[in-house]
Amino acid sequence: MSRHPELGNIDRSRTLRFVFDGREYHGHPGDTLASALLANGVRRVGTSTLLGRPRGIFSAGAEEPNAVVQIEEPFPEPMVLATTTELYDGLVARSLSGRGRLADRPDPCRYDAVHAHCDVLVVGAGPAGAAAARAAESTGARVIIADSGPPAADRTRAYSAPDPHGLGTGPQTRVLARTTVVGYYDDNYLVAVERRTAHLGLDAPPDLARERVWRIRAKRVVLATGAHERPIAFAGNDLPGVMLAGSARTYLHRYGVLPGHRAVVFTTNDSAYATALDLAAAGLTIAAIADSRPEPAQDWADRARAAGIEVLAGQLVTEARGDGEVASVLVGTRELPADLLLVSGGWNPVVHLFSQSGGTLRYDERLGALVPGESPQAVEVVGAAGGDLGHGSGEPLWFVPAGDYSRHFVDLQRDVTVADVWRATGAGLTSVEHVKRYTTAGTAHDQGKTSGALTSALVAHATGVAPGGAGVTTFRAPYLPVSFAALAGRDRGALHDPVRITALHDWHAARGALFENVGQWRRPWYYPRAGEDMAAAVLRECRAAREHVAAMDASTLGKIDVIGPDAAEFLDRLYTNLMSSLAVGSIRYGVMCRPDGMVFDDGTAIRLAEDHYLITTTTGNAAAVLDWMEEWLQTEWPDLRVTCTSVTEQWATVALVGPGSRAVLGDLAPGLAVDRAGFPFMTWRETEVAGIPARVCRISFSGELAYEINVSSWYGLSLWEAVMSRDVTPYGTETMHVLRAEKGYPIVGQDTDGTTTPQDLGMEWIVSKKKPDFLGKRSFTRRDTARPDRRRLVGLLPRDPEALLPEGAALLAGDRMAGHVTSSYPSAALGRTFALALVSGTHTTLTTRSGVAADVTSSVLYDPGNTRRDGAETETAAPPAGGFEAPVRRSPLAGFEAEFDGLRLAEAPFLTQVNVRTGTPLTPPGTAVTDGETTTVWLGPDEWLTVGPGAARGVDVSAQRTAIRITGPRARDLLAHGCALDLHPDVFPPGRCAQTLLARTQIILIAESDGFLVLVRASFAAYLGAWLLDAATEF
Amino acid sequence: MLLIPCPWCGARDEVEFHYGGQAHVAYPEDPSALSDEQWGRYLFFRENPEGDFAERWSHSAGCRRWFNVVRDTRSNRIKHVYLPGEPRPVTP
Amino acid sequence: MHPDRLWRSAEPRKSYEVVIVGAGGHGLATAYYLAKNHGITDVAVLERGWLAGGNMARNTTIIRSNYLWDESAGIYEHALKLWEGLEEDLGYPLLFSQRGVLNLAHSLQDVRDGVRRVEANRVNGVDAEWLDPAGVKEVCPIVEVSPEVRYPVLGATYQPRAGIAKHDNVAWALATAASALGVDFIEHCEVTGIEVSGGRAVAVDTVRGRIAANRIALSAAGHTSVVAATAGIDLPLQTHPLQALVSELLEPVHPTVVMSNAVHVYVSQAHKGELVMGAGIDAANSYRRRGAFHIIERQMAAALELFPVFARAHVLRTWGGIVDVSPDASPVIGLSPVENLYLNCGWGTGGFKATPGVGWCYAHTIAHDEPHPLVAPFTLDRFTTGALVDEHGAAAVAH
């Protein structure tokens, strides 16, 4: 054992057991795995990748190239630095040969991320960092201090650095221990990783995030990242027992470990003398100090000699010898027995983060190292990182001249030698980047922390340029390796991406619906009954819609309220057809194209008033269409007096389809004239359905008599239950697709692909000839767009009526590809299979690659005369009026309430909300003003939201969003997990509001006296609720 | 993660914004009067300078307002922020 | 002579028959095939930095030819066939590994698009298969195919002949072979302007002086717009950062290449054992070879959904390249509005895999002053006629 009896910052009262390479050892709290291994006399910690040579612990920190081990217990983790891994009881690790092993099972741990803001971020809590932090604290600044080491309280006797005790005493200071800043990005955005539970080993609480990513926005950054000691290349410099000199001093003082018994010190500078003296004082024999300088600093040399250490001035270590570890050291021609060879080739300031900031680097000849120059960002570098090494340095020495360089190692982990570098330069490579890639030097786990400067110097030497003239490879993030899981954070599993659901979702799930992902939405795909497969279920649903009555949840369709004197003109410019001629009370189908003429979206426009439309979009395109409208309005046509408001979640929409739909509607809406003449096709009515105020549209996406019933989404489930009480068959998206395909209605994105014009879809009728212009019009006459042999939408009937063409299948005319199948289904109504396809040229028959022949037909295969959409001439008797339950309103997060330490979450349901557009400011920007029970919230320069019963003129969006109230002293901390705003009370006091992102959803955030009100779109509420509870796990 | 100064909401993280490409590309007064080549240029050709670039952003997760910035594409530094319809500021 | 001697670094001469601007993979391959196929060896390849130090040094090395449209399949399949013989042709190990590529489908529309692409590939003679989730698992056992995840894997297209190669080796092999045939490679020789006289390109101005040329061929990727502008040519290109990253070396876990456009992940495990991953493109134009961090975070989240066993792997290094993206995500190759000036740009994220194919066809185009038939569809003219080769429109339209 080589533990010093007194020195070290370890808790000797406790013993930790650990296993390395199958053998059990003991260490103490305060040890790293490396220090514990050294204390146990373990010298070999790895085997080199290519050459299979034994490798030992080379350093005491992040620059370690050798002691990269595999953790096996408590959970497999590849390639972990033994020199920075805090020891814990039960640790099981093994040595590696350059390659780690991933677990074959999922990681059970949690990970998270937090946003933070500060005036000053200090990176590194060594003496320089501590001084900078204290100075910043004294000005009252908000300070964050990030340091890779354990917290100061764990360092019972801090070594060398002034005691970091006393840091973090400022009222606005946050000390992040075990936190490494790994990346420095534009606009002083820095990313740090905090290791929170790994040091607890098996005792790590499962509900604590194991690692946390800190996303820090700092007004000013102070880098106190220190310096790494440089090795020197000489023969056998990779043997276990060769160690950086300063690291040996660290092992002695921090861990009370004597890394050997008899040492030779090989140095180019003064710094190694302190190591030699300290080790000698601790009882280790220093055989000699070989100092490359002919004239070492007199005072250091005198002190060494006074301690009985021989100083060999102007002498070089030419070889480390030994079988598997250092046994002797050759200095010139003298062979000195030794089991430890301590090397100092000078120091490299750790300039990684500074360089990442966009800072320039300058080669300092005195140091033989790169030092910080100028940065475009607000950053300063202090202490050793800035080149202030506090001791003299000598002539840089990179390698010891020899005849054979095949055992002079440059990159210990990649087994790259000086000979390899010479081979690269000899092959004609002169750029360090080429040499790096050719030799692989600097590409290993340590990313060249010990080898980079050396490689560069060797290239300079070989190519005859001045030292430093060869440049270095780029310092890339991350400074230290970061686990994938840490970067993924909380965005895993169900929280990976919001699941948007409608007000009826729970009903669908309870009825066993299978779901389809459409964008972020989860939509019922079909509702299999016991024993049914998909085909059987869909045929049954289709039959119900064609023969009886069926209903679908169509709430996911995008809905945009368009209002203003120029609304009609605006829509005329966006749609290919005329919308201005639409009568109030009527509805028209429309197609939007991009300026390139390709179909972008389709839907309906409902004219509510002369100056007021409601348009619908496809499910997946709702946000894109609203963005599109705003883009044109704001950037091209600001003179148009129109405003657009999303009301997608305001409305729950039930499509009621089938010959029996009129009877059901008539039964549920006794006040509504439902007869053919009273409620014609493509009109809408306002009424009550099942006792709920509703807008009913007589539109059809199936060719059948059909209605879309829209109610406040609070009442969506009540409406649906009332409909279902009338023996109506629920159907999903698959049936919807079949029904529309039978009628030849295309689905944007399925029967179009971004290269499809309305004409390609056979929809010339929807392209206005009257309008002088609309988006896309000009493109239709381009040579390729006007080409007669473009692909056009056709119908296909396979010769074998049972044969189902695969969607996507190529269609061949002879051996030439004529097109592909876009939609294909078995049809209950047709009693056979059919398909839609985009096909170029005129054909009567096409075949698939497997030889299935299909006849080309019109794309309208069912009821081409549209005889069914108005229903029967005379109604069958209405079904017995069973009445309906009194409607019940339901909020998206009904019952959501949770209490944590210092934190309370609860839904604030059913708030009246009105979107108000006005040029007359209601409240100042960024503020929410409460008057009585109503709060007026600033949303934008001409947009406000009133929340509460106070009357306001605008668009009712009460059910569009729900509210979550987050109260308690830790409300801010919770929000910081997913909100990038600076929520500090000085910056975001009560009365402030913002539209921003929380986790992966947009919110309106209002600061209240005891917390926050978060308004979230109803479809995202379940996701956000789950996310908040997940983030609050630690509270 | 750029910090983009929304003229209405203040500086916000890049993820709150939607990029709109080059600014000051007006929709042609009369597209039907353009040749196919001129129309093609309007549709597909945008400046791509290495240096100052006048471009559009929308604060899509915030106030949903579009605005213009001049940004140096070499450094990503934003030099000017201004409203649609305003002329491009002269960069020294 | 050094036994491992690579290419010869040359001093610029006063004039050349052909000057190629950009010593990336495409520039190198073009020089090689100019010399080899067309006997044109009076060629200089000018490079602003170090040879093959741009996207050639930064890409994720995926090689495949399973593109949807006939035009794309033509050029990429030509490239893949050349890849299959390139190691032998160049006499240099390229670590070309045909380990197959899976393109995952996560929605019903992804499935339709995938099947459509497989079918089109088969018609075009490109190997392709459609795999169901079980088939995906068989090819790459660590892919999570449970239907319970947020975006389940519903299937995948599989191209067995696709794979990866070692990008640096490819560059060095091409440079060495071309150098042996007499081509000059001139590094740190940024082109600052193209001299046009009487509608003809006659010389390039460089930081190392003027170099005259009878033919000037651009192959400058993200900087093409800047160079072309000096000849008065506007191009429909936008330059964006694209990021990639690697993990530490790991024991083999991932036998193929997996791409998921829907969640912006592509990953393979390189020969030494590191996971090589590409991320999504930054939205905003930039010439800064550095992407935004949130894209990496997002990419990791997506990667762990697909590969839960990656949780404890570590990101060792991230980097960015800058790619020139065209409106239809297809390249622009061929003649330019200026006589004797040739264009090869707009490859976006797809340039590496096309390297030998582009070199072959671009060399032909330069040698004959006429587009090679395989690149003829990729003219600038398509932005006037509307005959785009829209590889992203066809795959990424919302439902």
Side-chain angles (χ1 to χ4, degrees):
Chain A
M1 286 296 167
S2 31
R3 193 75 85 162
H4 189 276
E6 283 166 21
L7 289 174
N9 177 18
I10 51 171
D11 178 1
R12 288 165 209 258
S13 68
R14 286 172 54 210
T15 298
L16 305 175
R17 293 176 315 151
F18 69 102
V19 173
F20 185 74
D21 277 345
R23 284 192 57 185
E24 185 174 300
Y25 301 100
H26 299 255
H28 299 292
D31 265 324
T32 61
L33 175 57
S35 71
L37 287 169
L38 284 171
N40 283 281
V42 177
R43 313 212 48 181
R44 179 173 181 159
V45 295
T47 306
S48 76
T49 314
L50 283 178
L51 304 172
R53 292 171 66 92
R55 292 285 158 77
I57 292 165
F58 192 70
S59 76
E63 69 274 35
E64 175 64 30
N66 284 345
V68 183
V69 302
Q70 172 79 32
I71 304 279
E72 295 291 7
E73 298 287 343
F75 189 86
E77 180 165 5
M79 304 290 273
V80 172
L81 285 180
T83 50
T84 59
T85 297
E86 292 177 50
L87 191 69
Y88 49 84
D89 201 57
L91 171 69
V92 177
R94 65 180 169 86
S95 60
L96 293 173
S97 179
R99 213 152 77 158
R101 183 182 70 85
L102 291 173
D104 53 9
R105 58 188 192 275
D107 181 354
C109 294
R110 297 168 59 83
Y111 297 83
D112 79 356
V114 174
H115 295 270
H117 300 260
C118 61
D119 296 315
V120 182
L121 168 66
V122 180
V123 184
R134 281 199 202 92
E137 279 181 341
S138 70
T139 66
R142 293 164 67 191
V143 179
I144 296 176
I145 308 155
D147 189 87
S148 295
D154 287 7
R155 302 180 202 169
T156 48
R157 276 178 301 175
Y159 141 77
S160 109
D163 183 2
H165 275 129
L167 276 188
T169 53
Q172 306 218 75
T173 299
R174 169 147 41 196
V175 180
L176 299 175
R178 296 188 177 96
T179 303
T180 306
V181 177
V182 294
Y184 195 144
Y185 296 86
D186 290 338
D187 293 319
N188 264 5
Y189 187 75
L190 291 94
V191 175
V193 179
E194 181 186 8
R195 294 166 299 279
R196 302 174 71 233
T197 68
H199 63 284
L200 301 174
L202 301 163
D203 299 329
D207 56 330
L208 283 191
R210 181 170 179 270
E211 294 176 351
R212 169 176 288 169
V213 169
W214 287 85
R215 305 163 177 159
I216 304 169
R217 199 63 93 164
K219 291 201 174 68
R220 200 159 62 81
V221 174
V222 177
L223 296 176
T225 44
H228 288 154
E229 200 162 18
R230 274 201 305 263
I232 302 166
F234 53 85
N237 65 335
D238 67 324
L239 276 180
V242 177
M243 183 182 280
L244 292 171
S247 297
R249 193 163 179 239
T250 301
Y251 282 116
L252 177 66
H253 289 285
R254 195 174 294 166
Y255 308 106
V257 170
L258 293 165
H261 299 94
R262 185 180 164 85
V264 171
V265 176
F266 179 23
T267 186
T268 63
N269 62 81
D270 296 345
S271 71
Y273 283 80
T275 299
L277 290 166
D278 286 3
L279 289 174
L284 199 137
T285 304
I286 306 294
I289 297 176
D291 192 324
S292 65
R293 298 172 296 184
E295 290 173 20
Q298 195 60 49
D299 53 337
W300 281 112
D302 289 347
R303 286 172 63 186
R305 291 188 181 111
I309 301 171
E310 186 179 7
V311 177
L312 305 170
Q315 303 240 26
L316 307 181
V317 168
T318 50
E319 188 179 355
R321 290 183 173 172
D323 180 15
E325 59 182 286
V326 174
S328 68
V329 174
L330 210 57
V331 181
T333 53
R334 267 177 75 189
E335 184 163 0
L336 303 170
D339 61 354
L340 188 62
L341 171 52
L342 302 176
V343 180
S344 180
W347 296 77
N348 294 327
V350 176
V351 295
H352 297 64
L353 294 176
F354 181 80
S355 174
Q356 287 179 31
S357 79
T360 58
L361 301 174
R362 179 173 61 76
Y363 184 76
D364 182 311
E365 286 188 19
R366 189 180 58 88
L367 300 176
L370 293 168
V371 295
E374 300 294 318
S375 172
Q377 306 210 45
V379 55
E380 61 191 289
V381 187
V382 298
D388 178 9
L389 294 169
H391 51 71
S393 66
E395 185 80 358
L397 172 70
W398 305 100
F399 65 97
V400 175
D404 171 10
Y405 288 106
S406 63
R407 288 194 304 129
H408 283 51
F409 284 86
V410 176
D411 186 323
L412 295 169
Q413 200 176 133
R414 285 280 195 250
D415 274 334
V416 177
T417 64
V418 172
D420 293 325
V421 175
W422 294 161
R423 187 172 145 246
T425 54
L429 301 176
T430 55
S431 154
V432 283
E433 290 283 0
H434 283 142
V435 173
K436 166 186 163 183
R437 286 152 182 279
Y438 191 79
T439 62
T440 73
T443 62
H445 191 271
D446 64 329
Q447 291 289 290
K449 291 186 181 69
T450 53
S451 63
L454 178 50
T455 307
S456 175
L458 291 168
V459 172
H461 178 86
T463 55
V465 303
V472 283
T473 59
T474 314
F475 291 98
R476 300 195 187 281
Y479 169 66
L480 284 182
V482 179
S483 71
F484 284 20
L487 295 174
R490 183 180 308 291
D491 292 352
R492 305 273 301 275
L495 300 179
H496 174 60
D497 202 36
V499 177
R500 296 180 70 182
I501 55 173
T502 73
L504 317 183
H505 181 82
D506 290 350
W507 190 97
H508 306 316
R511 293 309 184 287
L514 275 89
F515 290 91
E516 177 191 5
N517 285 318
V518 182
Q520 290 176 317
W521 287 100
R522 194 150 284 174
R523 302 192 68 182
W525 190 14
Y526 59 96
Y527 300 78
R529 289 183 180 163
E532 272 184 345
D533 63 5
M534 177 172 170
V538 172
L539 283 174
R540 172 181 52 74
E541 291 174 13
C542 286
R543 229 176 264 122
R546 292 266 183 242
E547 296 168 15
H548 305 288
V549 54
M552 184 184 74
D553 179 0
S555 307
T556 62
L557 287 181
K559 302 169 205 77
I560 301 169
D561 186 278
V562 183
I563 188 165
D566 296 318
E569 167 67 19
F570 178 51
L571 296 183
D572 273 353
R573 296 187 193 182
L574 291 179
Y575 284 99
T576 61
N577 50 339
L578 265 176
M579 290 299 178
S580 54
S581 61
L582 181 65
V584 173
S586 288
I587 302 170
R588 189 167 288 168
Y589 172 76
V591 167
M592 286 187 197
C593 289
R594 300 257 182 202
D596 67 359
M598 303 304 153
V599 173
F600 162 46
D601 202 58
D602 69 346
T604 55
I606 299 171
R607 193 156 198 178
L608 299 172
E610 213 32 58
D611 64 346
H612 195 183
Y613 292 78
L614 184 87
I615 68 161
T616 65
T617 75
T618 58
T619 296
N621 258 349
V625 171
L626 181 59
D627 285 353
W628 183 239
M629 297 171 84
E630 289 289 355
E631 179 177 346
W632 285 95
L633 267 182
Q634 294 179 39
T635 70
E636 288 293 341
W637 306 322
D639 50 318
L640 292 185
R641 292 156 299 161
V642 186
T643 59
C644 304
T645 307
S646 169
V647 289
T648 298
E649 285 100 324
Q650 172 66 22
W651 300 97
T653 304
V654 174
L656 186 65
V657 176
S661 60
R662 178 172 288 149
V664 171
L665 181 63
D667 179 30
L668 291 175
L672 180 66
V674 295
D675 59 293
R676 276 179 132 185
F679 193 177
F681 187 54
M682 295 308 259
T683 63
W684 58 271
R685 297 285 183 268
E686 272 181 358
T687 183
E688 275 192 2
V689 180
I692 307 162
R695 181 184 295 138
V696 183
C697 300
R698 238 209 82 193
I699 57 179
S700 175
F701 196 44
S702 58
E704 295 301 326
L705 175 69
Y707 302 87
E708 275 186 14
I709 309 167
N710 297 278
V711 298
S712 156
S713 60
W714 291 344
Y715 291 99
L717 188 56
S718 275
L719 171 68
W720 181 260
E721 283 171 336
V723 168
M724 287 299 135
S725 74
R726 296 308 195 259
D727 195 25
V728 173
T729 302
Y731 70 93
T733 53
E734 187 67 14
T735 290
M736 180 261 282
H737 281 194
V738 177
L739 298 175
R740 64 86 205 177
E742 290 167 343
K743 285 291 293 176
Y745 299 149
I747 296 268
V748 173
Q750 176 170 345
D751 304 292
T752 72
D753 65 6
T755 68
T756 315
T757 65
Q759 296 87 340
D760 297 342
L761 295 172
M763 290 165 62
E764 283 84 353
W765 54 271
I766 206 159
V767 179
S768 167
K769 309 262 185 310
K770 293 182 194 149
K771 292 193 284 186
D773 191 33
F774 56 82
L775 294 182
K777 179 181 169 85
R778 174 63 187 83
S779 287
F780 296 143
T781 55
R782 293 177 303 170
R783 206 187 321 151
D784 190 75
T785 327
R787 193 160 46 89
D789 60 343
R790 287 179 63 86
R791 293 178 172 217
R792 299 196 40 120
L793 193 70
V794 298
L796 291 177
L797 292 173
R799 290 271 173 80
D800 172 1
E802 304 281 307
L804 185 67
L805 302 175
E807 289 176 344
L811 294 166
L812 304 174
D815 57 358
R816 215 182 59 79
M817 180 144 161
H820 73 282
V821 175
T822 59
S823 300
S824 177
Y825 313 96
S827 164
L830 302 175
R832 54 160 303 134
T833 59
F834 75 105
L836 298 177
L838 283 169
V839 170
S840 158
T842 310
H843 310 275
T844 52
T845 305
L846 293 166
T847 55
T848 64
R849 288 192 311 108
S850 55
V852 178
D855 293 327
V856 179
T857 70
S858 153
S859 59
V860 185
L861 290 165
Y862 181 76
D863 187 27
N866 294 326
T867 60
R868 301 187 58 87
R869 69 165 194 224
D870 296 321
E873 201 71 57
T874 50
E875 282 308 319
T876 51
F884 32 80
E885 307 270 322
V888 178
R889 65 180 186 175
R890 294 172 176 90
S891 65
L893 281 174
F896 179 80
E897 207 172 344
E899 192 111 30
F900 300 88
D901 186 16
L903 185 67
R904 190 170 181 285
L905 307 171
E907 186 187 23
F910 306 125
L911 299 176
T912 300
Q913 298 169 60
V914 179
N915 187 284
V916 182
R917 309 297 281 260
T918 168
T920 315
L922 302 182
T923 69
T927 64
V929 175
T930 302
D931 180 11
E933 285 180 71
T934 301
T935 302
T936 304
V937 184
W938 182 89
L939 298 183
D942 64 350
E943 186 175 9
W944 282 263
L945 183 75
T946 63
V947 182
R953 229 178 97 81
V955 179
D956 179 14
V957 287
S958 302
Q960 172 79 354
R961 296 185 184 85
T962 191
I964 301 171
R965 189 161 264 124
I966 305 175
T967 50
R970 300 177 76 189
R972 261 185 194 87
D973 294 343
L974 178 69
L975 290 170
H977 282 78
C979 176
L981 293 190
D982 186 355
L983 298 177
H984 189 279
D986 292 349
V987 181
F988 205 85
R992 287 286 302 185
C993 67
Q995 294 191 83
T996 186
L997 295 172
L998 178 58
R1000 299 193 53 75
T1001 182
Q1002 192 184 354
I1003 58 159
I1004 298 169
L1005 182 66
I1006 302 161
E1008 299 180 326
S1009 57
D1010 58 345
F1012 296 87
L1013 190 68
V1014 174
L1015 298 173
V1016 59
R1017 286 174 67 152
S1019 65
F1020 288 94
Y1023 158 79
L1024 189 63
W1027 185 92
L1028 286 166
L1029 293 180
D1030 191 75
T1033 309
E1034 294 192 9
F1035 286 66
Chain B
M1 179 76 81
L2 298 179
L3 198 57
I4 298 175
C6 168
W8 306 108
C9 301
R12 297 288 184 89
D13 279 4
E14 186 183 345
V15 287
E16 293 197 3
F17 296 85
H18 176 79
Y19 187 60
Q22 186 187 345
H24 309 295
V25 182
Y27 185 75
E29 200 70 36
D30 179 8
S32 66
L34 300 185
S35 68
D36 280 2
E37 193 182 349
Q38 289 168 323
W39 178 247
R41 292 191 70 80
Y42 164 73
L43 287 180
F44 299 120
F45 286 66
R46 295 292 181 272
E47 286 174 16
N48 187 27
E50 184 178 23
D52 288 350
F53 187 40
E55 63 190 10
R56 308 181 306 158
W57 290 87
S58 161
H59 190 190
S60 49
C63 63
R64 299 194 296 129
R65 298 302 105 183
W66 283 84
F67 58 95
N68 296 334
V69 309
V70 174
R71 181 176 55 96
D72 186 337
T73 61
R74 291 164 301 190
S75 64
N76 288 341
R77 200 166 73 80
I78 291 173
K79 297 180 172 177
H80 301 282
V81 179
Y82 57 107
L83 299 181
E86 291 181 356
R88 174 179 173 160
V90 179
T91 308
Chain C
M1 180 146 153
H2 193 281
D4 304 316
R5 187 76 202 177
L6 297 169
W7 68 92
R8 181 175 46 84
S9 257
E11 289 299 309
R13 299 205 309 266
K14 285 259 176 286
S15 75
Y16 289 89
E17 175 60 31
V18 178
V19 160
I20 296 171
V21 181
H26 289 196
L28 298 171
T30 304
Y32 171 64
Y33 288 116
L34 269 176
K36 180 173 182 254
N37 292 358
H38 306 282
I40 301 174
T41 58
D42 183 18
V43 176
V45 185
L46 311 183
E47 171 56 47
R48 70 203 287 267
W50 40 284
L51 182 136
N55 295 340
M56 191 61 176
R58 295 155 197 271
N59 71 84
T60 50
T61 82
I62 297 170
I63 294 167
R64 61 186 178 92
S65 65
N66 55 348
Y67 281 72
L68 173 67
W69 299 109
D70 298 353
E71 297 87 346
S72 312
I75 180 76
Y76 286 107
E77 177 61 18
H78 178 59
L80 182 50
K81 290 210 171 77
L82 288 171
W83 279 114
E84 287 172 327
L86 201 60
E87 229 163 18
E88 198 178 333
D89 183 31
L90 297 173
Y92 197 97
L94 305 178
L95 307 183
F96 177 53
S97 161
Q98 289 181 289
R99 56 181 64 189
V101 168
L102 290 166
N103 292 78
L104 302 181
H106 298 279
S107 69
L108 297 176
Q109 190 54 41
D110 282 355
V111 171
R112 294 180 195 107
D113 291 338
V115 172
R116 178 183 175 192
R117 195 156 43 75
V118 165
E119 289 269 319
N121 292 159
R122 298 288 281 267
V123 172
N124 280 316
V126 174
D127 61 318
E129 295 167 35
W130 175 256
L131 302 180
D132 64 10
V136 171
K137 190 99 186 153
E138 213 166 288
V139 172
C140 188
I142 58 170
V143 175
E144 175 60 78
V145 296
S146 152
E148 302 308 316
V149 302
R150 178 67 186 87
Y151 291 111
V153 173
L154 303 182
T157 69
Y158 182 54
Q159 184 180 24
R161 284 165 63 238
I164 55 174
K166 178 75 183 159
H167 48 10
D168 292 327
N169 292 29
V170 174
W172 302 342
L174 286 166
T176 302
S179 185
L181 293 169
V183 172
D184 276 1
F185 293 99
I186 305 163
E187 294 172 271
H188 307 290
C189 185
E190 182 173 0
V191 171
T192 54
I194 295 169
E195 199 178 310
V196 179
S197 172
R200 302 181 51 191
V202 296
V204 292
D205 291 320
T206 80
V207 294
R208 296 173 69 175
R210 178 182 187 273
I211 302 172
N214 287 331
R215 288 171 264 188
I216 297 168
L218 302 188
S219 237
H223 282 86
T224 304
S225 298
V226 176
V227 180
T230 68
I233 298 175
D234 287 341
L235 293 170
L237 301 176
Q238 299 282 284
T239 294
H240 296 268
L242 176 69
Q243 298 183 81
L245 59 89
V246 289
S247 76
E248 69 270 76
L249 306 194
L250 299 164
E251 287 174 19
V253 290
H254 184 13
T256 181
V257 180
V258 172
M259 307 180 67
S260 170
N261 285 350
V263 293
H264 292 302
V265 170
Y266 29 112
V267 57
S268 66
Q269 188 169 19
H271 302 80
K272 286 203 293 281
E274 67 268 38
L275 299 170
V276 181
M277 306 181 68
I281 203 163
D282 272 38
N285 290 27
S286 180
Y287 284 79
R288 190 144 150 65
R289 282 204 177 117
R290 179 118 188 258
F293 179 70
H294 64 271
I295 291 179
I296 299 284
E297 288 182 301
R298 198 61 201 144
Q299 179 197 4
M300 286 295 112
L304 292 198
E305 290 302 290
L306 294 176
F307 302 100
V309 301
F310 287 175
R312 296 278 178 107
H314 301 93
V315 175
L316 212 58
R317 184 167 78 249
T318 63
W319 66 90
I322 54 169
V323 297
D324 47 326
V325 180
S326 73
D328 58 357
S330 285
V332 174
I333 326 177
L335 314 186
S336 82
V338 173
E339 213 178 312
N340 298 340
L341 182 65
Y342 304 89
L343 297 173
N344 169 41
C345 53
W347 286 92
T349 61
F352 175 74
K353 62 182 71 68
T355 299
V358 172
W360 183 285
C361 297
Y362 197 33
H364 175 103
T365 303
I366 298 161
H368 298 278
D369 193 34
E370 180 182 284
H372 185 283
L374 285 177
V375 301
F378 299 102
T379 59
L380 264 183
D381 188 47
R382 71 181 190 270
F383 301 105
T384 295
T385 64
L388 305 189
V389 186
D390 199 342
E391 285 289 342
H392 59 192
V397 179
H399 192 83

